[in-house]
Amino acid sequence: MTLGTLVVKYTAFAVLAIVVNLATQRVVLSVGWSSDGFGLALAIAAGTITGLVVKYVLDKRFIFYDETAGAAAQSKQFALYSAMGLVTTAVFWGTETLFWSIWRTDLMRELGAVIGLTIGYVTKYQLDKRFVFTPRLAS
């Protein structure tokens, strides 16, 4: 795959995962949870989980062309993929929360989320390439 194709695909998948993440947050917040405190934390966590699963499936299949099979191997791989996302998730959550704390609007909260997720995805690609989707995990 050429670098240009990689960038386009990875960006498209990141955008899709961001949309899924933010849509999930909106659903959680729309069912009566407040945008303050617990409701916001619940919305961010739910969005993170749905975005993570979508991004994992797309990265595994269409970015890294990973053929790891079997429940045990894939569970281990997903756990490692998730672990690589802990630092990048902290960047995302921190940026989103910071924007909410400063401006107190959903638009700015979501802008903070997009900025944080973008920084996180660029970093995460490098981590996944080096530590998650490697031939040694498949054996």
Side-chain angles (χ1 to χ4, degrees), residues 78-91:
F78 184 74
L80 189 55
Y81 183 85
S82 298
M84 292 296 143
L86 290 176
V87 171
T88 59
T89 297
V91 170

Side-chain angles (χ1 to χ4, degrees), residues 28-81:
V28 171
L29 292 172
S30 74
V31 295
W33 291 99
S34 166
S35 292
D36 290 330
F38 179 75
L40 181 60
L42 181 63
I44 291 171
T48 299
I49 291 166
T50 57
L52 175 70
V53 170
V54 166
K55 190 75 167 61
Y56 171 76
V57 170
L58 293 172
D59 284 354
K60 177 179 178 61
R61 174 92 167 103
F62 300 107
I63 298 296
F64 297 103
Y65 301 103
D66 183 78
E67 295 180 5
T68 300
Q74 288 191 58
S75 294
K76 181 179 178 181
Q77 187 177 57
F78 184 74
L80 189 55
Y81 183 85

Side-chain angles (χ1 to χ4, degrees), residues 1-135:
M1 172 172 15
T2 67
L3 178 60
T5 301
L6 172 65
V7 169
V8 168
K9 285 172 64 173
Y10 196 80
T11 300
F13 296 158
V15 167
L16 180 60
I18 289 169
V19 168
V20 168
N21 184 318
L22 294 178
T24 302
Q25 288 188 37
R26 284 187 177 199
V27 167
V28 171
L29 292 172
S30 74
V31 295
W33 291 99
S34 166
S35 292
D36 290 330
F38 179 75
L40 181 60
L42 181 63
I44 291 171
T48 299
I49 291 166
T50 57
L52 175 70
V53 170
V54 166
K55 190 75 167 61
Y56 171 76
V57 170
L58 293 172
D59 284 354
K60 177 179 178 61
R61 174 92 167 103
F62 300 107
I63 298 296
F64 297 103
Y65 301 103
D66 183 78
E67 295 180 5
T68 300
Q74 288 191 58
S75 294
K76 181 179 178 181
Q77 187 177 57
F78 184 74
L80 189 55
Y81 183 85
S82 298
M84 292 296 143
L86 290 176
V87 171
T88 59
T89 297
V91 170
F92 148 54
W93 283 1
T95 307
E96 181 173 0
T97 303
L98 177 65
F99 274 55
W100 170 253
S101 297
I102 293 170
W103 287 283
R104 296 270 181 203
T105 67
D106 287 334
L107 177 64
M108 292 307 289
R109 176 186 56 79
E110 288 181 353
L111 177 61
V114 169
I115 291 169
L117 284 164
T118 301
I119 293 167
Y121 282 139
V122 169
T123 304
K124 190 152 181 6
Y125 171 79
Q126 294 301 322
L127 293 170
D128 292 340
K129 180 179 170 184
R130 182 167 182 162
F131 299 110
V132 177
F133 297 106
T134 61

